[in-house]
Amino acid sequence: MIGLPAYLILGALVFSIGLFGVLTRRNAVGILLGIELMLNAVNINLVAFARFNGDVAGLVFTLFTISITVAEVAVGLAIVIAIFRVRRTVEADRLDLLRG
Amino acid sequence: MSAFTLELGLGAVMVLVFGGSLTSRGADRRWIAWLATAGILTLGIVSALVKPTPPALSGMFVLDGLAIFAKRLFLAATFIGLLAGIGADAVACGRRAGEYHLLILSSLLGMLVLASARDLILLFVAFELMSIPLYVLAGFLKGQDEAVEAALKFFLVGSVSSAVMAYGLSFVYGAARTTDLARVAQAFAPGQPLLLLGLLAVFAGFAFKIAAFPFHMWVPDTYEAASTPFVAWLSVAPKAAGFVALFRVYFEGMGDRVATWVPIAAGLAAITIVAGNLMALPQQNAKRLLAYSGIAHIGYMLVGFAAASASGTAMVLFYLVAYVFGNMGAFLVVEAVARSERSEATAALRGLAQRSPLLALAMLLFLLSLGGIPFVAGFWAKLYVFWAAAAAGLYWLVLLGAVLTVVALFYYLIVAKRMYIEAPDASAGRIRLPGTLALAVILCALVVVGLGLYPKPIVMAALRVAAPLF
């Protein structure tokens, strides 16, 4: 039987991998993937807590997080496409018009 | 009246605007802007009649004094923002007028729900409903390089902080075994590491939304690139919503344990005030200047938050009212000047007193209010916040804040000097601005002066709504 801490550690690992991706990736789509991983870590946590606390609210919370993630990533990809149309690149390093 | 009167009313306005945008043809869709503004004005009048009701949805949704106070403020800010947008060019009134207003109204709906949310799930959903339309609005001028770049930065920082916040919420839920904030507050004890960790991560998410110091990077870029009437609104309304949610999560029902947050909030307040004010000093673009000075103002509000008392909370609410009108007014004057000059540099304000004495007077009032000079709203706001912090024993923070107020005065008065002492460019004529924009500026100026001369009603109202939290 795998205990609650194992799931929390898995969640923390996935969250850290996502955060690492966000901080190191130079491609905007890669950064989006990192954010997606971070939000999936949240879902792992919520489901694990719901299972071990014997409480369905966590599962409901997970459904809401999933749908909000979808909305967020849709907006993010739309912005990336808008950037690609005017700039012909989605490398975060080249987006440096605004400074100061 | 039910607990959801304002939310349902806003939903009706959104349906009207949506229907209007489906049926309208042609490039000039100003009437949609008028429709949305009239709808918000009506809701504002309705909100004056709303009375506190018992919690709805088994305690998830509360309409108490704090929620009503906050909702009136959001509606007032949105009304002024939309009113100013009517006069603006293609952005708010062109082919995409329906989209623009629906996005603003959905974000407003998120704020209204956020002010009432007393449940982790509802809080998160409302928070995202408020945030996601803002990312779209920041990149609304999708053909412009700067606008889409600013939107991407805003989105990336925003969604990372949302993810951190959601991660924190998962621990809060797991440790407290409930999503009801009232029961989370009862379960909270400083010795519980998981719950404390969760609440700290959630705090980071809020700190991003209110743009406190280490989470402020998106602010100047987004403000510079997006359309000014929207920025005026963005710079105040989501921040007010963020503060109200902070009070709900960290103060309500916590009792004596609120002392846990004092060191964190005081530290955040101190670095935010210092960083905001110092980074504002070298700015030559008026919108960036206001962006950094806005960060400093968030720091001053966090001083009141750090007091962790009923009076501190009330004084932050008063500060929010003063900040909403002072800051929006300043942005709208910048917009009025930029429309005739095609420049948002502070240099464009040169000789404004000769080109448009009324506009210059209004800007002077806003700057004095933001700087904290007596007999305009900002003075009382700063004084009361410092007073609350001193009552809580945070003398070092009060001293730091007071010293940096002088720095802030320096850069505000440089702008005033440009308006009143320097001569305008020879080519520059009188400034003409649309009636709606002028009306918005006048409304802001009247509130700033009115609160400066007679702050008592708002202060008493704020004290009344803050008391039940403790």
Side-chain angles (χ1 to χ4, degrees), chain B residues 47-59:
Chain B
S47 80
L49 307 171
V50 169
K51 297 268 184 302
T53 56
L57 302 178
S58 54

Side-chain angles (χ1 to χ4, degrees), chain A residues 45 55 58 72 87 95 97 100, chain B residues 128 149 170 173-174 288 292:
Chain A
N45 266 5
D55 177 25
E72 204 160 39
R87 204 72 73 79
L95 305 176
L97 282 178
Chain B
E128 292 297 304
E149 180 183 323
S170 75
Y173 161 69
R288 288 189 92 88
Y292 283 114

Side-chain angles (χ1 to χ4, degrees), chain A residues 12 15 22 31-32 35 42 45 49 53 55 58 61 64 68 72 75-76 83 86-87 95-100, chain B residues 121 125 128 132 143 145 148-149 152-153 155-156 159-160 162 166-167 170-171 173-174 177 221 224 288 292:
Chain A
F15 190 82
V22 168
I31 301 177
L32 276 179
I35 293 170
V42 176
N45 266 5
F49 279 127
N53 289 352
D55 177 25
F61 204 156
F64 277 102
I68 286 174
E72 204 160 39
V75 167
I83 285 220
V86 291
R87 204 72 73 79
L95 305 176
D96 52 2
L97 282 178
L98 298 158
R99 283 274 163 100
Chain B
I121 302 177
V125 173
E128 292 297 304
I132 294 176
D145 266 8
V148 284
E149 180 183 323
L152 185 68
K153 284 179 180 169
F155 169 79
L156 290 179
S159 44
V160 169
S162 290
Y167 194 58
S170 75
F171 281 116
Y173 161 69
R177 294 168 176 254
D221 292 351
E224 185 184 347
R288 288 189 92 88
Y292 283 114

